[in-house]
Amino acid sequence: MKNVLFIAPDISVKGGISTVLEGLIGSKLSHKYNIITVASHIDRSKLRKLIQAVIGLTKTAYYLISKQIAIVHIHGGDLTSIKRKYFYFRLVKLFKKKIIYHFHGASFSEQYPHASLGWKRRIKSLLEDSNIVICLSYSWKTAIINVAPKSNITVVHNATVLPEIGEKSRKASKTVYITFLGLIGERKGIFDLLEVILRLIMDGRNIHLTVGGNGDIVRLHKEIELQGLKNHVTYAGWIVGDAKDKLLRNTDIFVLPSYGEGMPMSILEAMSYAIPVIATNVGGIPELIKDGESGYLVEPGNLDQLLEKMKKLIADENMRLSMGEKGRYTVEKDFSLSEIANKIDDVYESLFT
């Protein structure tokens, strides 16, 4: 069994990369490869993060020396993450191992122009000198080529485990339950969503929003208080496991009005539960949602568009059921964990030939 070294944020770090890692480690890949993980980052104080970086680099060197590592699979996000992973990349290059850089970034295109010339050269080297760069969507492939045109890029979408769900029936409750899952902050568009929720309530719509995630919780509570939404919005914290399963089974509409994305795991998960999705046409989202069929796509920051599409779905339960079924079919066909694990395996095998 060949050894594959994963270098990635610790599984405890809240975010999409951790969800992807858990899926890959629990997939059929673990039956074919011995996956060894090194945590490059943890959510702690600056000092603790620095200590973890030293521990991570030390462990990486140890495994490269003591184990027959076949492939090093590095998982990275936006600019800060890429800078962190560069030092692992250089270390692995010293040992002349095969490197896959798995690009999970969402705001990289906006951040990269502000990087120094030195870091731009290093980032280009990382992307072009890795054996393969995996990105999550064809739009991100184009973005990477603009930065590092000689990169060897393969598109592998994110994937999710398919939950067991029965055929959805018409609901008895008149309340329409809306869910947002993601980082609490400007990029994910949560504050835009709160403004639209207020408009919908003032228009007499019987709705309730549940917000799950980490981030700027203080501002979230402040906005809920200022807009008088305490009876219509629930903050549920960071939701995982059975709590997330229960929430999604009770969700009628999933909304993620982001300004920048890779390929959001939260949307994949919602679609796997046959929930219609309203999201923005950024990053890899248009490769997930077919506008008007499995959900709606709107322009980021366009609150009038978001309001219009939410009104349509709130008013039409048959449309919600139909769109949800089409979304579930899309995930089954193209974004199941088994399908994506096969594609990752193909990437690994290509490095052995």
Side-chain angles (χ1 to χ4, degrees):
M1 187 178 286
K2 294 182 174 69
N3 293 321
V4 175
L5 182 62
F6 273 21
I7 298 172
D10 189 79
I11 289 291
S12 66
V13 174
K14 299 178 176 71
I17 295 180
S18 297
T19 306
V20 172
L21 288 175
E22 286 183 307
L24 291 178
I25 292 169
S27 74
K28 62 180 72 175
L29 288 175
S30 63
H31 301 298
K32 185 173 180 179
Y33 304 97
N34 179 33
I35 298 175
I36 303 168
T37 61
V38 168
S40 59
H41 173 70
I42 57 173
D43 277 337
R44 296 290 188 277
S45 66
K46 288 184 179 179
L47 176 60
R48 186 63 184 85
K49 287 177 181 178
L50 178 60
I51 293 170
Q52 184 60 41
V54 174
I55 292 172
L57 285 165
T58 303
K59 282 187 173 182
T60 298
Y62 168 76
Y63 288 130
L64 292 171
I65 292 168
S66 64
K67 306 285 186 182
Q68 293 292 324
I69 301 295
I71 294 171
V72 178
H73 191 158
I74 303 174
H75 296 262
D78 288 321
L79 190 62
T80 301
S81 178
I82 291 177
K83 288 179 178 180
R84 190 182 301 120
K85 299 308 189 304
Y86 177 78
F87 297 101
Y88 289 89
F89 165 77
R90 295 309 314 172
L91 176 60
V92 175
K93 289 294 283 185
L94 288 176
F95 288 84
K96 299 180 180 180
K97 299 295 184 180
K98 302 286 188 182
I99 299 175
I100 296 170
Y101 186 80
H102 203 138
F103 184 86
H104 298 266
S107 300
F108 176 75
S109 293
E110 292 77 35
Q111 297 170 345
Y112 178 78
H114 303 290
S116 67
L117 288 177
W119 271 112
K120 285 179 179 177
R121 286 194 296 269
R122 294 182 189 104
I123 291 166
K124 182 179 180 182
S125 171
L126 185 155
L127 295 170
E128 292 190 340
D129 294 339
S130 292
N131 296 88
I132 295 175
V133 174
I134 294 176
C135 66
L136 307 182
S137 68
Y138 290 98
S139 63
W140 274 108
K141 179 177 181 178
T142 300
I144 294 170
I145 288 172
N146 288 336
V147 170
K150 295 180 181 178
S151 302
N152 179 22
I153 303 172
T154 296
V155 175
V156 179
H157 296 124
N158 277 340
T160 189
V161 176
L162 287 165
E164 292 288 338
I165 59 170
E167 184 177 344
K168 284 198 171 185
S169 58
R170 296 184 66 83
K171 55 183 292 184
S173 170
K174 292 182 179 180
T175 303
V176 175
Y177 292 97
I178 301 163
T179 294
F180 168 99
L181 297 176
L183 181 68
I184 310 300
E186 293 285 353
R187 181 173 69 82
K188 292 284 187 177
I190 178 58
F191 303 115
D192 289 349
L193 178 56
L194 290 180
E195 186 171 332
V196 172
I197 291 292
L198 178 60
R199 292 190 197 179
L200 289 165
I201 291 166
M202 292 177 69
D203 194 44
R205 309 291 167 149
N206 190 1
I207 58 174
H208 189 92
L209 170 67
T210 298
V211 177
N214 61 319
D216 194 350
I217 311 305
V218 172
R219 183 180 172 189
L220 176 69
H221 285 302
K222 183 178 178 180
E223 292 291 338
I224 292 171
E225 182 75 29
L226 285 174
Q227 297 188 41
L229 293 172
K230 290 178 68 175
N231 294 328
H232 303 278
V233 179
T234 299
Y235 173 61
W238 181 258
I239 307 175
V240 295
D242 291 342
K244 182 189 284 187
D245 177 75
K246 182 179 179 181
L247 173 63
L248 291 175
R249 289 184 188 278
N250 195 45
T251 296
D252 298 303
I253 305 169
F254 186 88
V255 184
L256 190 71
S258 294
Y259 286 81
E261 285 293 350
M263 181 158 283
M265 286 300 300
S266 60
I267 288 181
L268 277 170
E269 289 172 334
M271 292 172 70
S272 75
Y273 280 83
I275 302 167
V277 176
I278 301 175
T280 44
N281 56 355
V282 297
I285 293 176
E287 293 168 41
L288 278 173
I289 300 169
K290 192 162 185 182
D291 187 35
E293 291 193 13
S294 54
Y296 286 119
L297 296 174
V298 300
E299 294 291 330
N302 192 325
L303 273 59
D304 290 337
Q305 270 191 348
L306 182 58
L307 178 67
E308 176 197 349
K309 301 306 182 185
M310 289 184 71
K311 279 184 176 180
K312 281 187 176 182
L313 280 183
I314 290 167
D316 194 334
E317 184 176 5
N318 288 332
M319 183 184 292
R320 296 199 301 268
L321 293 172
S322 174
M323 285 186 166
E325 289 172 3
K326 289 173 182 174
R328 167 75 181 204
Y329 175 74
T330 297
V331 174
E332 287 179 345
K333 184 167 65 75
D334 297 322
F335 300 95
S336 68
L337 189 58
S338 59
E339 179 67 21
I340 300 310
N342 286 336
K343 291 182 179 179
I344 296 287
D345 187 22
D346 289 342
V347 172
Y348 288 174
E349 288 292 343
S350 72
L351 294 177
F352 300 138
T353 57

